[in-house]
C-alpha cells in the first residue's frame, strides 16, 4: 500500500493519522517499511539516507546483525514472564560499569516513564515539592515535562497542553538554559522547596544547544548548596558520544540520570539511575512507588545488551570526525550559496537553523524560519534524504553512515536550499 493510501486508513484510526505527533507533516507523512544500515525505504519503494534514526536510538544503523541475532534468539525462547531475567542483569552491569554516577538503576519502557519516575523519586527523597526545568526542555510527554516557556519574567509555567491541572503547573519552575542568573533567582526565591533541577546536558529538543562553559558545573553547585537533586536527562545523549553519558565527558556527577533510546538497541526502553541512597527509596526497598509490566522485559534488555556490546568496541572518535567534517563542509556550502543559517553540532548530533543569529537557547531557537525549514525538508525528501520533520528536532549520524552518504547529503542540502 502506498504512503498516501496508508495515511487515509491511519487517519480513521489514529488522531492525525499518527501514533506520535512529531511524525506528522503535511500533506501526509511518508511511511517507511524497511531499513538497512544508513538507509530506509518507504512504502513506495523509495530509498532515503536516514538522519532521524527512529528519533535517535538507531546509532548502529538499521537492522544491525548482532542486535537482530540476539532478538531472534530471545523470541524463540519466550521473552515475557513477569519475573527477573538474566538479560536485565547484563544490561544493568554494562551501564553501571560505564556511567560513573549510576550505582543502581531501574529500567522502564520509555524515556517518558524514566523522567516521570525520577521526578517522583526526587520529591520523595527530598520531601520537597518543586521541580525546576529549562525553557524548551522536553523530558517526555507527562504532565511535569509539558510546561511551556512564558515570557522572561514568567516564573511559573503555563501548561502547553490542556488537561494539565493548574496544581501541577504550579509545581514546575522554568529556568533558562545557559542563563545562571535565571536559575539563581529561582533558587533565591524558592530554594527550600526545589526537589530537583532536571535538564538535558545538551539540549536536544530545541535543535542542538550545547551548555556554555561552566553552566553544568554551576547547576551541580547550586543544587548541592540547596539540598536539591540534579537530574541529567540523557535519553538522547546517553552512549551517543562515548561509551557513557555526556556527564562523564564533562566530569559532572548528577544525583540521578535518565536514559533511553540507544540503550534499548531500537526496542522500547528507559532507565533511571543514580546514587544508591536515593535509588533505594524505590519500592520494594523504599516507599516511592515505581512499576511496569514490561519494565526490564527480556527482549529490550537483550537488544540493548547487544547494541551496547557493539558500541563498546566502536570508535566514537571516528564518528565524531566524520560528523565534524560534514558540518565544516555544510558551513562552507551555506556561505557559498549565501544562505543565512547556523549549524549547531556536537559529536554525531547536528541541526541547521535558518536563523539570522546563532542559536544558544530556547528563545533564539524560536526565531528560526520554520517555514523555510519545512520547504527544505520536503525538497530533501525528493533527493532521497530523510531528516526528522521539524526545525526543533536533532539530526543524528550513525555508525552505518559513510563518506559517500554524507557527500550525497551535502549536494542534496545545496540543491534543496537553492530551490526551497
Ligand atoms: N527525554 C528526552 C531528552 C527526550 O528527547 C525524550 C524523547 N525524545 C524523552 C525524554 C522521552 O522519551 P520517550 O519518547 O522514549 O518516552
Amino acid at each position: 500500500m502506498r504512503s498516501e493510501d496508508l495515511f487515509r486508513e491511519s487517519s480513521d484510526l489514529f488522531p492525525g493519522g499518527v501514533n506520535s505527533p512529531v511524525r506528522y507533516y503535511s500533506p501526509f507523512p511518508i511511511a517507511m517499511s524497511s531499513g538497512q544500515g544508513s538507509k530506509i525505504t518507504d512504502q513506495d519503494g523509495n530509498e532515503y539516507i536516514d538522519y532521524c534514526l527512529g528519533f535517535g536510538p538507531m546509532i548502529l544503523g538499521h537492522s544491525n546483525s548482532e542486535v537482530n541475532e540476539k532478538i531472534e534468539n530471545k523470541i524463540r525462547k519466550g521473552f515475557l514472564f513477569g519475573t527477573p531475567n538474566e538479560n536485565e542483569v547484563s544490561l544493568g552491569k554494562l551501564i553501571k560499569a560505564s556511567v560513573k554516577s549510576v550505582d543502581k538503576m531501574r529500567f522502564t519502557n520509555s524515556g517518558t516513564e524514566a523522567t516521570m519516575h525520577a521526578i517522583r523519586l526526587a520529591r520523595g527523597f527530598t520531601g520537597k515539592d518543586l521541580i525546576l526545568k529549562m525553557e524548551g526542555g522536553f523530558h517526555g510527554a507527562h504532565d511535569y515535562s509539558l510546561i511551556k516557556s512564558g515570557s522572561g519574567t514568567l516564573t511559573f509555567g503555563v501548561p502547553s497542553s490542556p488537561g494539565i491541572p493548574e496544581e501541577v503547573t504550579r509545581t514546575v519552575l522554568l529556568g533558562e538554559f545557559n542563563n545562571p542568573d535565571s536559575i539563581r533567582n529561582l533558587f533565591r526565591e524558592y530554594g527550600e522547596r526545589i526537589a530537583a533541577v532536571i535538564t538535558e546536558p545538551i539540549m536536544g529538543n530545541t535543535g542542538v544547544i550545547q551548555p556554555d562553559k561552566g553552566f553544568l558545573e554551576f547547576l551541580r553547585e547550586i543544587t548541592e548548596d540547596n539540598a536539591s537533586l540534579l537530574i541529567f536527562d540523557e535519553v538522547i545523549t546517553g552512549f551517543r558520544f562515548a561509551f557513557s553519558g555526556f556527564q562523564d565527558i564533562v566530569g559532572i556527577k548528577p544525583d540521578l540520570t535518565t536514559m533511553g533510546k540507544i540503550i534499548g538497541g531500537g526496542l522500547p526502553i528507559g532507565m533511571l539511575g543514580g546514587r544508591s541512597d536515593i535509588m533505594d527509596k524505590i519500592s520494594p526497598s523504599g516507599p516511592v512507588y515505581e512499576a511496569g509490566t514490561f519494565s526490564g522485559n527480556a527482549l529490550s534488555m537483550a537488544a540493548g545488551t547487544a547494541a551496547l556490546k557493539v558500541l563498546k568496541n566502536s570508535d566514537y572518535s571516528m564518528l565524531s570526525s566524520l560528523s565534524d567534517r560534514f558540518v565544516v563542509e555544510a558551513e562552507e556550502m551555506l556561505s557559498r550559496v549565501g544562505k543565512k543559517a547556523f549549524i549547531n553540532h556536537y559529536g554525531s548530533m547536528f541541526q541547521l537553523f535558518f536563523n539570522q543569529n546563532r542559536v544558544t537557547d530556547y528563545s533564539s531557537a524560536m526565531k528560526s524560519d520554520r517555514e523555510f525549514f519545512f520547504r527544505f525538508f520536503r525538497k530533501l525528501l525528493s533527493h532521497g534524504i530523510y531528516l526528522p520533520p521539524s526545525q526543533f528536532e536533532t539530526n543524528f549520524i550513525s555508525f552505518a553512515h559513510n563518506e559517500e552518504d554524507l557527500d550525497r547529503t551535502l549536494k542534496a542540502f545545496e540543491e534543496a536550499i537553492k530551490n526551497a
Side-chain angles (χ1 to χ4, degrees):
M1 194 184 295
R2 305 180 59 226
S3 281
E4 190 170 2
D5 301 328
L6 199 66
F7 185 66
R8 210 167 295 122
E9 294 205 8
S10 301
S11 300
D12 268 349
L13 297 167
F14 315 120
V18 287
N19 276 300
S20 190
V22 286
R23 297 174 196 169
Y24 175 78
Y25 50 89
S26 73
F28 59 88
I30 290 172
M32 298 298 166
S33 60
S34 63
Q36 187 68 52
S38 61
K39 316 273 188 348
I40 47 180
T41 303
D42 71 17
Q43 286 285 135
D44 302 283
N46 304 303
E47 192 180 80
Y48 306 81
I49 304 173
D50 182 20
Y51 294 90
C52 180
L53 297 177
F55 287 96
M58 311 310 287
I59 191 169
L60 295 173
H62 296 278
S63 205
N64 176 276
S65 56
E66 276 128 301
V67 177
N68 284 356
E69 197 184 303
K70 261 285 178 93
I71 294 175
E72 282 158 14
N73 278 344
K74 206 73 234 169
I75 284 176
R76 263 182 244 115
K77 291 183 181 163
F79 48 83
L80 190 69
F81 311 108
T83 67
N85 63 76
E86 64 180 358
N87 302 88
E88 59 192 0
V89 174
S90 346
L91 185 58
K93 278 161 82 174
L94 278 167
I95 293 173
K96 181 173 156 129
S98 47
V99 186
K100 286 200 189 76
S101 70
V102 173
D103 298 329
K104 281 195 178 169
M105 72 200 86
R106 262 284 161 86
F107 287 116
T108 62
N109 306 295
S110 66
T112 297
E113 283 178 47
T115 62
M116 180 181 76
H117 293 308
I119 286 172
R120 183 182 314 114
L121 176 59
R123 288 179 164 141
F125 179 80
T126 60
K128 303 179 182 192
D129 62 340
L130 301 181
I131 296 297
L132 197 164
K133 74 178 276 289
M134 304 298 152
E135 281 185 3
F138 179 74
H139 304 289
H142 55 74
D143 288 3
Y144 305 120
S145 172
L146 293 177
I147 311 292
K148 205 178 102 184
S149 80
S151 71
T153 54
L154 201 60
T155 308
F156 286 103
V158 180
S160 63
S161 165
I164 300 177
E166 215 186 301
E167 290 77 4
V168 172
T169 302
R170 270 197 255 110
T171 66
V172 181
L173 302 167
L174 288 167
E176 290 171 26
F177 194 76
N178 282 338
N179 181 351
D181 279 345
S182 76
I183 316 277
R184 225 176 260 121
N185 291 340
L186 290 169
F187 268 97
R188 204 166 289 137
E189 197 158 348
Y190 304 102
E192 292 197 345
R193 288 177 58 197
I194 299 176
V197 171
I198 182 167
T199 186
E200 287 184 89
I202 293 180
M203 299 262 274
N205 285 285
T206 346
V208 181
I209 298 174
Q210 280 192 58
D212 288 345
K213 204 164 181 295
F215 181 66
L216 299 177
E217 287 81 352
F218 160 77
L219 291 181
R220 181 60 287 182
E221 258 168 47
I222 199 161
T223 43
E224 244 161 35
D225 292 348
N226 287 275
S228 306
L229 301 186
L230 178 62
I231 307 173
F232 275 175
D233 181 358
E234 298 227 44
V235 165
I236 288 182
T237 54
F239 292 89
R240 188 162 308 277
F241 317 116
F243 194 71
S244 183
F246 182 71
Q247 55 188 270
D248 288 308
I249 297 175
V250 288
I252 297 174
K253 252 180 144 175
D255 302 295
L256 290 175
T257 296
T258 52
M259 287 194 181
K261 299 199 192 259
I262 289 176
I263 62 163
L267 291 190
I269 202 163
M271 187 254 359
L272 64 149
R275 274 168 38 196
S276 291
D277 60 324
I278 304 173
M279 291 302 293
D280 281 336
K281 287 280 182 280
I282 293 179
S283 179
S285 53
V288 177
Y289 205 67
E290 190 281 335
T293 300
F294 297 105
S295 297
N297 77 79
L299 264 194
S300 296
M301 299 295 114
T305 304
L308 289 199
K309 282 186 175 161
V310 177
L311 284 173
K312 199 167 181 188
N313 296 312
S314 299
D315 185 355
Y316 279 95
S317 66
M318 234 176 66
L319 179 58
S320 279
S321 26
L322 192 69
S323 312
D324 290 351
R325 208 166 61 234
F326 174 73
V327 169
V328 168
E329 287 174 13
E331 278 168 345
E332 279 166 14
M333 178 276 290
L334 286 170
S335 64
R336 192 169 62 244
V337 175
K339 179 71 189 168
K340 191 92 176 165
F342 290 91
I343 302 178
N344 282 13
H345 106 285
Y346 185 86
S348 55
M349 278 166 71
F350 74 95
Q351 183 55 297
L352 206 114
F353 291 100
F354 297 105
N355 200 306
Q356 294 304 307
N357 298 295
R358 205 157 256 303
V359 168
T360 55
D361 56 14
Y362 173 68
S363 47
S364 47
M366 287 299 138
K367 292 187 184 123
S368 306
D369 187 346
R370 287 178 236 189
E371 281 171 26
F372 187 86
F373 178 89
F374 185 63
R375 294 202 300 276
F376 171 69
F377 163 78
R378 287 223 62 101
K379 280 274 180 249
L380 285 177
L381 288 178
S382 64
H383 288 286
I385 307 292
Y386 190 77
L387 302 188
S390 161
Q391 172 72 95
F392 305 117
E393 294 289 343
T394 294
N395 302 300
F396 300 104
I397 299 176
S398 79
F399 280 102
H401 285 73
N402 58 27
E403 287 189 24
E404 195 196 321
D405 291 330
L406 295 171
D407 287 347
R408 264 182 56 198
T409 304
L410 208 62
K411 285 202 187 89
F413 272 24
E414 180 162 351
E415 284 303 306
I417 284 174
K418 282 180 182 158
N419 300 306

